[in-house]
Amino acid sequence: MQGFYNTSIKAYGMALKLASNFNEKAKLWVDGRKNWEEKIASKISETDKVLWVHCSSLGEFEQGRPVIEALKEKYPTHKIAVSFFSPSGYEIRKNYQGADVIFYLPLDTKSNAEKLIKVLHPEILILVKYEYWFNLITELHQQNIPTIVVSSIFRESQNFFKKHGKNWFAKKLSLINHFFVQNQKSKDLLDSIQITQNTIAGDTRFDRVKQIIHQDNQLDFMNDFKQNSKLIVVGSSWPKDEELFVNLINQKLTDDWKIVFAPHNLNDTEINSFLSKINQKAVKFSDLEKTSQQYLIDSKIFILNTIGILSKVYFYADITYIGGGFGAGIHNTLEAVTFGNPVVFGPKYKKFQEAVDLIEVDGGFSIANQNEFDTIMNRLMNDENFRKESGKKAGDFVQNSPNATKIILEYLNDIL
């Protein structure tokens, strides 16, 4: 199995190099890993004490961010290293001020693992949620460098828990020093393969979104746009999600309601295609400078075709809808509900524990088709008591969650 794994890793690297000739994301992946040793060595000296956090992509970074910032505060003489696997994480957070060095994780060969540990010489590796690179984990174990995983979550379908995997995948997983899992099911699955070094700590993303309430969330353009209306905010929407809203906008959007759409892909063609289907006055964020204040006030639809401020826009919401549920899976619901708003999303949500829990506490609602969407939106928009009760349940779900970062830091204090 080890030989198969090594061959697969090298084949994956070769495929990405080939794809980089015509795929921009693959090109970023390949180019970002050139001269990686020199890039790290320029930021990390032999005498530095280093704490290393690895994130697969942007979502995992946001999940790990409370831990990163707590480490920075708790261990100010250490340097913080943050690695990414995906360009969608690295390219957005490569200038993050909370880390001393940010780099692309090199391909997981045994040689690269040895070189990386030598140049980085970390005291610990903290993996966020998942992404287990077995050559790296093995080398860290052999050098007595602890590895922990935070906000991890497991499913029965994973290779670790299948009969054919127990001889190799589970053995590799057992090299990790500790798992901080999100829920009881994940703990039970690890226990079933004799990996008992685990603690239920919840999800560190809750710690992050709890902080959002205390930041300055005022946006002048949102104050002008919303006025005294009630507001639906549609976060990370895809065309399939937006299609659900067409009839609501054209036939049922009363004077006291407005809608903000934050598309997942900021593609002008897709945005304009959607706008062509609706009959309400709309404005794009990219057009604000040439838009009069009165036009903004009069508009019923706002297209947030920018990044970085969606969490502030959720502050203004009365109802939220999260996209992705008709594709690979829903996007982040926690930022949407932290302000105490009910959330609606599509059918592909079951891999996201917070979405499952939101439904259980009656703060979230999953829909599978247009009829179900129309039904729940009609009730949320027209039944104020139901809307506010659902929103309170969603907000309480976030605020009453465990402080996962505190639990993790208490463990780290004992081993660092």
Side-chain angles (χ1 to χ4, degrees):
M1 184 61 77
Q2 182 69 50
F4 176 76
Y5 176 78
N6 289 338
T7 300
S8 298
I9 289 293
K10 290 177 181 178
Y12 181 73
M14 292 175 63
L16 280 170
K17 284 184 179 179
L18 180 64
S20 68
N21 293 314
F22 51 85
N23 182 280
E24 182 59 30
K25 189 172 183 180
K27 180 174 171 54
L28 287 170
W29 193 99
V30 171
D31 290 348
R33 285 166 170 80
K34 292 178 179 177
N35 303 316
W36 60 267
E37 287 180 85
E38 291 85 350
K39 292 175 183 177
I40 295 172
S42 69
K43 299 290 182 68
I44 301 294
S45 72
E46 293 181 358
T47 58
D48 286 330
K49 297 178 180 180
V50 179
L51 305 176
W52 175 18
V53 180
H54 174 68
C55 313
S56 173
S57 190
L58 183 61
E60 289 71 39
F61 170 81
E62 294 301 329
Q63 205 157 25
R65 189 168 178 173
V67 177
I68 295 170
E69 294 176 355
L71 288 172
K72 191 73 173 176
E73 181 178 356
K74 180 71 175 178
Y75 302 99
T77 61
H78 284 65
K79 285 195 171 180
I80 306 295
V82 175
S83 59
F84 287 96
F85 181 76
S86 168
S88 59
Y90 176 84
E91 296 300 328
I92 293 176
R93 294 303 182 193
K94 60 187 176 183
N95 296 316
Y96 170 60
Q97 297 299 305
D100 299 283
V101 57
I102 301 173
F103 61 96
Y104 275 109
L105 188 74
L107 200 65
D108 188 40
T109 64
K110 187 176 187 301
S111 174
N112 279 346
E114 292 171 349
K115 292 175 184 177
L116 177 55
I117 294 170
K118 182 177 180 180
V119 70
L120 195 61
H121 54 83
E123 291 188 16
I124 191 170
L125 168 60
I126 301 170
L127 296 172
V128 181
K129 192 175 182 180
Y130 64 94
E131 201 168 78
Y132 304 102
W133 299 109
F134 297 124
N135 282 321
L136 178 60
I137 290 169
T138 300
E139 190 63 31
L140 287 163
H141 177 75
Q142 290 174 351
Q143 295 194 32
N144 295 315
I145 299 170
T147 301
I148 73 167
V149 188
V150 302
S151 297
S152 59
I153 193 162
F154 291 95
R155 301 182 302 279
E156 292 178 9
S157 60
Q158 291 173 296
N159 282 326
F160 311 119
F161 312 108
K162 295 180 179 179
K163 288 184 179 180
H164 73 266
K166 289 185 178 179
N167 291 327
W168 194 81
F169 292 104
K171 185 177 179 180
K172 290 294 184 181
L173 206 64
S174 70
L175 299 180
I176 291 173
N177 296 73
H178 206 88
F179 293 86
F180 291 93
V181 299
Q182 293 189 31
N183 56 26
Q184 185 67 48
K185 183 176 182 180
S186 294
K187 176 177 173 55
D188 292 342
L189 284 169
L190 288 176
D191 288 343
S192 74
I193 55 173
Q194 289 73 55
I195 297 179
T196 57
Q197 64 275 27
N198 62 73
T199 301
I200 300 174
D203 189 340
T204 51
R205 284 182 303 165
F206 285 85
D207 304 332
R208 172 69 180 159
V209 299
K210 286 177 187 177
Q211 299 169 5
I212 293 174
I213 293 179
H214 304 294
Q215 70 184 16
D216 180 7
N217 292 295
Q218 294 293 325
L219 295 167
D220 289 342
F221 73 89
M222 282 301 303
N223 292 326
D224 288 340
F225 173 70
K226 184 177 181 180
Q227 297 291 309
N228 295 318
S229 299
K230 292 183 283 292
L231 185 68
I232 302 168
V233 176
V234 185
S236 300
S237 61
W238 293 78
K240 178 67 174 176
D241 302 299
E242 293 154 6
E243 189 70 30
L244 294 169
F245 282 88
V246 171
N247 184 59
L248 187 156
I249 292 170
N250 289 342
Q251 298 185 28
K252 301 177 182 178
L253 195 63
T254 55
D255 291 342
D256 57 337
W257 281 94
K258 293 188 174 186
I259 307 178
V260 172
F261 289 89
H264 181 73
N265 291 324
L266 306 183
N267 181 293
D268 283 338
T269 301
E270 289 185 1
I271 291 171
N272 291 334
S273 174
F274 169 64
L275 290 176
S276 70
K277 299 174 184 177
I278 63 176
N279 59 14
Q280 298 280 3
K281 188 177 289 187
V283 63
K284 300 179 189 176
F285 179 87
S286 57
D287 293 336
L288 276 181
E289 289 188 2
K290 58 184 180 183
T291 301
S292 71
Q293 185 182 38
Q294 190 58 52
Y295 189 91
L296 180 60
I297 292 170
D298 292 342
S299 294
K300 299 284 286 181
I301 308 298
F302 190 95
I303 306 297
L304 191 72
N305 56 341
T306 187
I307 61 173
I309 58 174
L310 179 56
S311 64
K312 291 178 180 287
V313 174
Y314 284 134
F315 167 74
Y316 293 87
D318 296 278
I319 301 170
T320 53
Y321 177 99
I322 299 300
F326 290 91
I330 63 171
H331 295 282
N332 184 0
T333 57
L334 293 181
E335 286 187 351
V337 301
T338 191
F339 294 106
N341 303 305
V343 63
V344 180
F345 42 79
K348 293 186 180 178
Y349 68 88
K350 293 182 180 179
K351 290 183 179 180
F352 304 90
Q353 186 62 41
E354 67 277 8
V356 174
D357 292 340
L358 279 165
I359 290 175
E360 188 173 328
V361 301
D362 296 324
F365 306 91
S366 175
I367 51 95
N369 52 52
Q370 184 74 57
N371 183 60
E372 291 181 6
F373 171 84
D374 292 343
T375 299
I376 188 60
M377 292 302 292
N378 180 65
R379 187 175 181 191
L380 286 170
M381 293 173 72
N382 294 297
D383 186 338
E384 183 176 4
N385 288 334
F386 175 67
R387 181 175 69 250
K388 288 185 175 180
E389 287 173 6
S390 301
K392 184 178 187 305
K393 290 173 181 176
D396 288 347
F397 167 69
V398 173
Q399 296 303 318
N400 295 334
S401 64
N403 190 323
T405 303
K406 182 180 179 181
I407 296 170
I408 294 163
L409 261 289
E410 287 173 353
Y411 172 88
L412 292 176
N413 287 341
D414 292 334
I415 65 171
L416 289 178

